[in-house]
Amino acid sequence: MVTFYKPSKSTKAKKAVTVTFTDLDLQGRAVGKEGGNTYFVEGLMPGEKANVQEINAKGNIITAKYTKIIKASELRIQDDCEYADKCGGCKMSFVPGDMLLNSKIEGIKRLFLKNATVNLDDPAFFEKAESIGYRRACRFAIRGDHNKLYVGFREERSNSLVKVKFCKCLTERINSVIEPLNKLINSFEKKDKLGHIECLDSDGLLGILIRFSEVLNKKDEEKIVAFAKDTDTVVSVVEPFYDPKIIDKKRESLKERIVAGDPSKLFVTSGGIRIECMPSSFVQVNRFLNTKMLDRVCSYVEEGKDSVLDLFCGLGNFTFPLTKKAKKVVGVDIVARMVLDARENAKEHGIDNISFEIADLEEQFENQKWAKEDYDVVVMDPGRAGAKRATLFLANKKPKRIIYISCNPLAASRDSQELIKKNYKLSSWGVIDMFPRTAHIEMILVFDLENKKK
């Protein structure tokens, strides 16, 4: 994820300071101390000395940029990616993988001690995989240059485009369509109505979504059909949709529709169960590590005995595999289309110990029927904002075990406090390095209800 910042309002350049760096923080910034100040600088790593210039400061905490590396670490990796100095996608590629993973783990420990007063032991497990060729889903931005369109990724701290022909992190199939996509978008009559492009390398065919700000015309649709046939892909478009039942035509919505390819060949496999999806569907980007994560989560459920609630379930990434161990599983998500698709998948597979419900877990949901039932185990995998309301609900409902999956340690540390207050103990935790070459990390936290009275 690209991080934006506001530069200092001062027009006077700050004097450079020489700092030696010893650690990495959870944002991937090098940390060093000098003259009573603590400096946080991107693009450096432990063991390096550099001249740095202040960007902004709060007391003795200074965010800075480096102007010159005086002493580079012997461990620094010279990345052979031609976009490494511009693209914001994997900005930690110069740090050795084991060092980066360890820094993420140590950063989590510091954060939980500070925010949740929990002194974490070493993780019970950590899972990692290849750092290149792993990413099966991505979004390309589109920009024009001299009346020609290009796909690519945004530059670090900028809306400018890095034009890419090949990305080391993407799967081979996604890389294979970058150049054909460039040709396709430049052939459109309505080039000025394009938004972005998403790719999903499913376990079946490659899915591609093209965003339009205007309803797709017939000529451009024919070009998409020909493209899909040539590349053996499934292509959908997102375009404005006007519901004839709504009188006020200003109330347009967006709708995704498949325009080319066989949608039945677009699917992901979760715990051996085939889940049909759309090119826009959210899936865990690292196929191999997602399998490892599913195995971990399922191992915390008692076979044939536990009833399980899966919050923020999406298409059922955890829900479906859990049916093989749990007595019953209920999945809940806000996106109606995903829930309806999940129900259809369950029906097609003949799975009778599963159900799916639609609910906004950030708004009042506590009086819904599914929420009044009792569960032995709860699994939840919220977005980056965490699950404040759902956590408070569970803390009072008191299932015997809560398995919290998080890609945001800060939100997870906040939510953990609420569970600890209500007699839950963080009995086990581990990390999945789902996003190598970046500062991001996926965590699994296991909370068990302690058998003592408040």
Side-chain angles (χ1 to χ4, degrees):
M1 181 180 292
V2 177
T3 303
F4 294 93
Y5 71 96
K6 292 183 179 180
S8 171
K9 293 182 180 179
S10 174
T11 56
K12 186 178 179 180
K14 300 288 185 179
K15 185 179 178 180
V17 178
T18 302
V19 182
T20 299
F21 293 87
T22 57
D23 298 290
L24 289 173
D25 74 353
L26 266 174
Q27 297 180 46
R29 300 176 300 180
V31 184
K33 295 180 183 293
E34 179 62 37
N37 297 319
T38 302
Y39 290 84
F40 295 85
V41 182
E42 292 184 349
L44 299 175
M45 59 184 285
E48 295 190 324
K49 180 187 286 189
N51 289 340
V52 303
Q53 195 170 53
E54 178 185 317
I55 296 172
N56 56 53
K58 291 184 179 180
N60 64 345
I61 304 299
I62 298 175
T63 301
K65 63 180 179 180
Y66 73 87
T67 56
K68 180 181 179 181
I69 298 178
I70 297 172
K71 179 186 176 184
S73 169
E74 295 178 355
L75 300 176
R76 175 178 276 266
I77 297 172
Q78 299 302 316
D79 198 337
D80 59 356
C81 174
E82 62 180 293
Y83 315 114
D85 61 339
K86 295 180 180 180
C87 179
C90 50
K91 62 183 181 180
M92 304 302 298
S93 58
F94 63 94
V95 182
D98 288 343
M99 176 186 287
L100 182 56
L101 178 56
N102 185 63
S103 75
K104 295 176 185 181
I105 292 170
E106 293 303 313
I108 290 169
K109 287 182 178 181
R110 291 193 297 268
L111 184 65
F112 268 70
L113 183 59
K114 178 182 177 181
N115 289 358
T117 62
V118 174
N119 194 0
L120 292 177
D121 294 328
D122 289 337
F125 64 87
F126 58 86
E127 300 285 0
K128 59 182 181 177
E130 291 293 329
S131 62
I132 60 174
Y134 74 89
R135 192 175 184 96
R136 64 173 172 176
C138 73
R139 173 182 288 196
F140 290 115
I142 300 174
R143 297 287 188 275
D145 185 7
H146 294 86
N147 204 35
K148 187 174 181 181
L149 297 180
Y150 296 90
V151 301
F153 301 118
R154 290 187 302 182
E155 289 185 9
E156 179 71 4
R157 305 188 194 94
S158 171
N159 278 324
S160 298
L161 187 78
V162 179
K163 306 168 189 175
V164 298
K165 295 181 179 179
F166 176 88
C167 172
K168 292 174 67 174
C169 292
L170 297 177
T171 62
E172 184 179 340
R173 284 205 297 187
I174 295 179
N175 276 315
S176 72
V177 298
I178 293 177
E179 281 303 296
L181 279 171
N182 273 315
K183 292 179 182 178
L184 174 66
I185 61 177
N186 280 287
S187 73
F188 285 149
E189 288 189 349
K190 297 290 186 178
K191 290 192 288 187
D192 59 330
K193 303 301 179 182
L194 283 166
H196 64 263
I197 294 174
E198 297 177 32
C199 291
L200 170 58
D201 190 353
S202 83
D203 294 334
L205 295 181
L206 176 66
I208 299 172
L209 175 148
I210 305 175
R211 169 77 166 87
F212 284 89
S213 61
E214 188 176 281
V215 175
L216 184 66
N217 67 39
K218 184 149 184 77
K219 287 187 177 180
D220 287 345
E221 184 164 338
E222 289 172 351
K223 292 172 183 177
I224 291 175
V225 171
F227 165 88
K229 185 177 181 181
D230 289 342
T231 56
D232 195 22
T233 56
V234 179
V235 183
S236 69
V237 297
V238 170
E239 60 193 345
F241 170 72
Y242 298 89
D243 191 333
K245 297 177 182 178
I246 299 176
I247 296 175
D248 184 0
K249 295 300 181 182
K250 292 182 180 180
R251 291 179 59 190
E252 71 178 49
S253 59
L254 298 175
K255 189 174 183 179
E256 181 180 8
R257 66 181 178 95
I258 300 290
V259 297
D262 183 354
S264 70
K265 294 182 180 179
L266 196 64
F267 62 91
V268 293
T269 306
S270 185
I273 297 174
R274 171 176 166 146
I275 302 174
E276 293 189 6
C277 56
M278 294 283 283
S280 64
S281 295
F282 171 79
V283 301
Q284 293 288 352
V285 299
N286 195 316
R287 180 186 284 110
F288 175 78
L289 287 180
N290 184 56
T291 299
K292 293 286 188 180
M293 183 167 64
L294 294 176
D295 290 343
R296 287 286 177 185
V297 170
C298 288
S299 72
Y300 298 118
V301 175
E302 194 170 358
E303 189 163 0
K305 293 184 179 181
D306 287 338
S307 59
V308 180
L309 176 64
D310 180 13
L311 300 179
F312 308 94
C313 69
L315 289 169
N317 185 48
F318 294 106
T319 331
F320 282 106
L322 285 166
T323 61
K324 295 182 177 181
K325 290 201 70 176
K327 182 170 57 178
K328 72 169 184 176
V329 188
V330 178
V332 183
D333 201 276
I334 187 177
V335 183
R337 193 193 74 194
M338 288 198 299
V339 171
L340 294 174
D341 287 345
R343 286 174 180 170
E344 189 61 30
N345 275 321
K347 184 178 178 181
E348 289 181 6
H349 287 289
I351 303 173
D352 57 9
N353 65 335
I354 193 172
S355 62
F356 290 92
E357 304 292 342
I358 301 170
D360 183 349
L361 295 169
E362 298 304 320
E363 300 294 338
Q364 188 171 358
F365 63 83
E366 292 84 354
N367 289 327
Q368 294 186 28
K369 184 179 178 181
W370 63 266
K372 293 181 179 181
E373 296 180 9
D374 291 326
Y375 302 93
D376 300 300
V377 178
V378 177
V379 175
M380 59 177 175
D381 184 13
R384 291 193 59 79
K388 186 174 182 180
R389 188 183 186 102
T391 301
L392 291 171
F393 164 73
L394 295 175
N396 291 316
K397 196 166 186 63
K398 297 192 181 305
K400 70 177 184 181
R401 175 166 288 174
I402 297 171
I403 305 166
Y404 189 127
I405 300 100
S406 175
C407 62
N408 185 350
L410 181 60
S413 67
R414 177 205 68 199
D415 293 340
S416 295
Q417 292 180 67
E418 300 303 326
L419 296 175
I420 291 168
K421 288 177 188 176
K422 294 289 187 177
N423 251 9
Y424 278 93
K425 178 183 178 181
L426 181 53
S427 56
S428 180
W429 77 287
V431 297
I432 312 283
D433 198 19
M434 196 74 72
F435 313 97
R437 297 162 63 95
T438 78
H440 301 296
I441 190 71
E442 197 90 7
M443 306 170 57
I444 298 179
L445 306 169
V446 182
F447 294 91
D448 286 319
L449 186 62
E450 293 189 286
N451 295 320
K452 64 181 181 180
K453 295 180 179 180
K454 287 290 287 181

